[in-house]
Amino acid sequence: MTNKDVILIGAEEDIILELNNSNYKIHGFFGNKKKANIRYLGTFSKIDSFLKKKPKVKICIAMGPLNIRKKFLQKYKKNILTYISDRAFKGIKIKIGKGSFIQSYCFLGNNLKIGNCCKINVRSNLHHDVKVGSFTDIAPNSTVLGNVVIGSECYIGSGTIIREKLKISNNIMTGINSAVVKNLNVKGLYYGVPAKLKKKNSYPRP
């Protein structure tokens, strides 16, 4: 068993590809059974018995429903995988929370703070002094300019651009290719150029 042995929660294809290309050994996935390119290991109830046999294996949970992420982060904290791709461009004084997953070709500027169980997808750019709350996902090709604060449990849609020195509150989602040019304070779904509130209080998070 090496420190690159890992099991997955769910079978998200881009996570599998990322880990395979970083020489991780994926033993399989837990969750609902479905067709996948890796071995199905059983329902979540089987995780404990698997860890008894292989206690040093890492668990990748930077995906899936928020209630699952929160539960597993608390229950399996010592086993949770925190991943930063070797192909990401990394500045100095970066703090990455437990269980977060930073994919290839991301730009991570100086003085970043990223919370627990976040997913920063391919080719996203987070510039200097950005703060990202826990359980927030940033989809591919998004750009977050300097001194932006993004809250917890947000979803920043693919191609979104967020202007510098803005604040995004908790539980906010932006649509694809949105341009955020002012603070977003009301929980809900925003999209467009400039991004405007389209659905208040809830959103259809992926």
Side-chain angles (χ1 to χ4, degrees):
M1 186 69 62
T2 71
N3 62 359
K4 285 200 168 186
D5 286 82
V6 65
I7 55 177
L8 304 186
I9 303 305
E12 189 170 329
E13 289 296 334
D14 62 338
I15 296 290
I16 295 169
L17 177 63
E18 182 79 43
L19 292 175
N20 281 335
N21 278 278
S22 295
N23 298 315
Y24 278 77
K25 180 181 178 181
I26 302 174
H27 290 260
F29 77 97
F30 290 90
N32 296 324
K33 188 174 184 179
K34 65 177 183 178
K35 185 177 180 180
N37 294 320
I38 58 172
R39 180 185 176 194
Y40 177 64
L41 298 171
T43 61
F44 296 146
S45 64
K46 305 293 185 182
I47 295 176
D48 287 344
S49 60
F50 184 93
L51 291 178
K52 285 182 180 179
K53 297 176 182 177
K54 298 179 179 179
K56 293 183 180 180
V57 74
K58 295 294 185 180
I59 303 173
C60 181
I61 62 168
M63 70 290 291
L66 295 180
N67 62 326
I68 296 296
R69 296 193 208 185
K70 292 177 180 179
K71 176 182 176 180
F72 287 178
L73 176 63
Q74 182 177 17
K75 185 174 182 180
Y76 302 112
K77 195 167 186 178
K78 71 176 184 178
N79 290 89
I80 297 302
L81 173 69
T82 302
Y83 175 87
I84 306 175
S85 171
D86 291 337
R87 292 178 287 274
F89 186 92
K90 300 175 284 290
I92 61 172
K93 297 182 179 179
I94 296 174
K95 295 182 179 180
I96 308 293
K98 191 78 172 177
S100 285
F101 198 95
I102 315 297
Q103 291 192 244
S104 295
Y105 311 116
C106 289
F107 175 92
L108 306 177
N110 296 334
N111 304 307
L112 290 189
K113 292 183 180 179
I114 296 174
N116 297 323
C117 284
C118 294
K119 183 180 178 185
I120 312 300
N121 219 313
V122 292
R123 300 189 185 279
S124 289
N125 301 297
L126 278 62
H127 290 264
H128 65 90
D129 299 288
V130 165
K131 297 179 181 178
V132 180
S134 294
F135 306 103
T136 284
D137 292 349
I138 298 180
N141 296 300
S142 295
T143 297
V144 183
L145 298 178
N147 292 289
V148 167
V149 177
I150 300 175
S152 299
E153 301 182 25
C154 293
Y155 185 90
I156 306 303
S158 182
T160 293
I161 298 175
I162 303 177
R163 197 185 74 184
E164 68 277 4
K165 299 180 181 179
L166 295 184
K167 183 174 181 179
I168 312 298
S169 296
N170 299 337
N171 302 110
I172 282 175
M173 177 180 182
T174 65
I176 292 173
N177 292 329
S178 294
V180 180
V181 297
K182 63 180 182 180
N183 294 338
L184 304 184
N185 300 313
V186 177
K187 181 173 71 172
L189 169 63
Y190 295 75
Y191 58 85
V193 181
K196 295 182 180 180
L197 180 62
K198 302 295 183 178
K199 187 175 182 180
K200 191 175 180 180
N201 294 325
S202 64
Y203 57 85
R205 180 169 177 148

